[in-house]
């Protein structure tokens, strides 16, 4: 895929990330996608073929994100990414006042810190 248009999408195992990946692959993009489980990586690789490159990582793990970025760089060579979709996130359900501080902190750590640091 030396002439591919490359995009990184986080959180591609289902929902918006999966839909984004499906559209991008159908338009000729190569998608580097993050998932947290090997089963999801295998399923998506089977579904999208060589146009999908899975990364198994938690976006809150800075070392894993760094390793994934290095692998993307080695696979894209001198080409630039044409996009980054920071889709991965979690929802902690409930009114803010009833959430444990640790639950709210976890939501912020997943949804705000990694995209701001990328």
């Amino acid at each position: 895929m030396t002439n591919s248009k490359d995009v990184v999408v986080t959180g591609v195992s289902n929902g918006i990330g999966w839909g984004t990946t499906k559209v991008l692959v159908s338009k000729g993009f190569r998608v580097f996608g993050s998932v947290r489980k090997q089963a999801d990586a295998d399923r998506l690789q089977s579904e999208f073929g060589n146009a999908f490159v899975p990364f198994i990582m938690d976006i809150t793990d800075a070392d894993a994100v760094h390793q994934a970025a290095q692998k993307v760089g080695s696979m894209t060579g001198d080409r630039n990414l044409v996009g980054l979709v920071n889709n991965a996130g979690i929802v902690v359900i409930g009114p803010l006042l009833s959430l444990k501080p640790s639950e709210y902190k976890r939501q912020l750590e997943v949804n705000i810190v990694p995209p701001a640091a990328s």
Side-chain angles (χ1 to χ4, degrees):
M1 298 194 85
T2 57
N3 294 322
S4 66
K5 300 173 285 185
D6 300 312
V7 177
V8 171
V9 181
T10 63
V12 301
S13 61
N14 57 46
I16 293 169
W18 176 85
T20 300
T21 299
K22 182 176 180 177
V23 169
L24 288 169
V25 167
S26 76
K27 301 288 184 187
F29 289 83
R30 176 170 60 174
V31 175
F32 296 94
S34 75
V35 296
R36 290 182 292 159
K37 300 174 186 170
Q38 183 66 51
D40 290 332
D42 295 343
R43 174 179 52 84
L44 295 168
Q45 183 75 68
S46 175
E47 183 174 352
F48 297 125
N50 291 335
F52 179 74
V53 179
F55 290 102
I56 301 169
M57 67 177 185
D58 184 320
I59 61 165
T60 64
D61 180 344
D63 289 336
V65 171
H66 181 71
Q67 288 174 6
Q70 286 184 321
K71 186 171 180 185
V72 168
S74 72
M75 292 181 74
T76 58
D78 61 352
R79 294 184 323 277
N80 292 324
L81 289 174
V82 295
L84 167 64
V85 180
N86 279 318
N87 170 70
I90 62 170
V91 175
V92 178
I93 299 174
L96 181 61
L97 292 174
S98 68
L99 295 179
K100 295 178 185 174
S102 61
E103 293 172 330
Y104 186 64
K105 181 180 178 195
R106 174 75 176 141
Q107 181 169 290
L108 293 175
E109 289 172 346
V110 172
N111 295 350
I112 295 176
V113 176
S118 40

